[in-house]
Amino acid sequence: MSAPQHIEAGETGYDRVLGFTIPSRDARGRAVRLGPVLETILAAHDYPIPVKHLLAEALVLTALVGSLLKDGEGQLTMQAQTQGDGVVDLLVCDYRGGELRGYVRHDAERLAQLGANPSLHALFGDGGYLAITFDLASTGQRYQGIVPLEGTSLAEACEAYFAQSEQVPTLIRVAVRSDAQGCVAGGLLVQHLPEGEEGRERIHVRMDHPEWEHVAVLAGSTRHDELVAADLSMEALIWRLFHEEEEVRIEPFGGLSRGCRCSIEHYQAVLSKFPEEDRLDMRNDQGLIVVDCAFCSRLFEIEL
């Protein structure tokens, strides 16, 4: 990887994923920056600022982790819930083939009492947990890991997931900026894959491996303003962090889009699988089944 000589406007653009590997350190990573797609998802509901920032962080994490899928038709779902009395009782995001969507359900009155910058624990209360689910279309397999919502951010909980469920040393940094121009967010994920390249069996995992410690120190120096800087491309950010390495391989993954998959045809197909007597109970006085899509805040009137 050579130093960028000139940064075109398109290269600094939002709503894209950049993959990279550092072969000599057995490390791989992803960088994500969200802009218009994030704004579109957030605009579906009148979220208060703390909830906007929470959902923005979750969407960045979903794009970072989802882009690790090798199955192009596979889906990554990230869900945070509380088993107690949290102000936020459900957060769900998913990623499939570059499409993102997300939604937060919360108690607005109780949230207003928490102030401008509530902690993760204040939002989810006791018993909060993070569930990450991978659905692999090519094999039909599904696997899930669940970790407590501990620490100061969803990013820390996500790091704990990889350490506990995947046994992969992982560093994640996420930044969210909200101002009069709108909301933007960015993130960096770096992982150590000991015993060789991607795809090889990981044995004798060491969280304190010297190669990993070296990469983690470099990646950990990322500043929040760099993750969301409009005039700094993700390629230039990776160069800043790892330009002294022997080789850094860059793999652009293309753009991200808002991916709510709701449509009348989709809901007709889903509802057709229910017994006729159940569909009768769902109908309103006009004989229609009304479906409320929480992701895009739209009502669909289905006739079956």
Side-chain angles (χ1 to χ4, degrees):
M1 177 180 178
S2 58
Q5 300 300 310
H6 178 67
I7 299 173
E8 298 291 343
E11 294 176 345
T12 66
Y14 295 101
D15 303 329
R16 56 190 290 257
V17 180
L18 183 73
F20 62 93
T21 58
I22 308 173
S24 63
R25 305 288 185 182
D26 292 331
R28 70 173 177 182
R30 299 288 186 270
V32 166
R33 193 170 283 160
L34 298 177
V37 166
L38 174 61
E39 282 280 276
T40 301
I41 295 173
L42 295 179
H45 296 274
D46 187 19
Y47 292 120
I49 292 296
V51 175
K52 277 188 176 183
H53 285 196
L54 180 71
L55 182 53
E57 179 186 10
L59 287 165
V60 169
L61 291 170
T62 302
L64 287 170
V65 179
S67 62
L68 296 174
L69 281 166
K70 295 181 180 180
D71 183 344
E73 296 299 319
Q75 178 171 306
L76 177 283
T77 303
M78 184 174 294
Q79 183 169 314
Q81 283 189 268
T82 178
Q83 295 176 327
D85 58 349
V87 172
V88 174
D89 66 337
L90 175 66
L91 180 155
V92 61
C93 301
D94 67 39
Y95 170 100
R96 188 178 70 179
E99 295 183 341
L100 281 173
R101 62 179 182 173
Y103 167 70
V104 179
R105 190 171 65 212
H106 67 287
D107 187 321
E109 292 184 4
R110 292 175 58 203
L111 177 65
Q113 299 172 8
L114 297 180
N117 190 28
S119 66
L120 190 67
H121 181 267
L123 291 173
F124 286 94
D126 295 324
Y129 66 89
L130 177 71
I132 296 180
T133 306
F134 293 90
D135 289 287
L136 306 180
S138 59
T139 63
Q141 292 179 312
R142 165 183 284 197
Y143 61 98
Q144 182 183 76
I146 299 176
V147 293
L149 271 178
E150 297 175 344
T152 61
S153 65
L154 291 174
E156 287 188 19
C158 197
E159 287 178 342
Y161 160 79
F162 279 108
Q164 297 173 27
S165 298
E166 302 282 340
Q167 293 191 336
V168 177
T170 303
L171 180 142
I172 301 174
R173 294 290 182 267
V174 176
V176 179
R177 187 186 71 212
S178 184
D179 53 30
Q181 281 69 50
C183 189
V184 297
L188 176 74
L189 176 149
V190 182
Q191 294 184 320
H192 188 225
L193 300 180
E195 307 301 327
E197 298 284 341
E198 292 187 45
R200 290 184 57 182
E201 182 180 3
R202 295 188 292 272
I203 56 177
H204 307 305
V205 173
R206 288 179 52 191
M207 296 296 176
D208 62 346
H209 194 289
E211 300 286 10
W212 168 242
E213 290 181 339
H214 174 85
V215 171
V217 168
L218 295 178
S221 68
T222 310
R223 302 193 313 270
H224 278 204
D225 62 296
E226 291 177 315
L227 291 171
V228 294
D231 59 350
L232 178 67
S233 70
M234 291 188 291
E235 290 85 351
L237 173 60
I238 300 306
W239 167 257
R240 283 188 182 184
L241 295 174
F242 304 113
H243 64 274
E244 294 185 353
E245 296 303 308
E246 179 181 301
E247 180 185 17
V248 179
R249 299 173 185 171
I250 294 295
E251 181 183 3
F253 283 2
L256 297 168
S257 62
R258 174 179 173 271
C260 193
R261 296 179 287 278
C262 57
S263 67
I264 289 179
E265 292 75 20
H266 170 72
Y267 289 125
Q268 284 177 331
V270 172
L271 291 168
S272 67
K273 298 176 183 178
F274 285 81
E276 175 60 25
E277 56 269 25
D278 290 347
R279 296 203 299 269
L280 285 172
D281 291 338
M282 298 177 192
R283 291 188 171 97
N284 61 15
D285 294 340
Q286 288 73 44
L288 302 172
I289 300 174
V290 180
V291 179
D292 183 356
C293 176
F295 288 105
C296 65
S297 191
R298 294 172 61 195
L299 295 176
F300 292 84
E301 296 182 336
I302 311 300
E303 184 176 2
L304 282 175

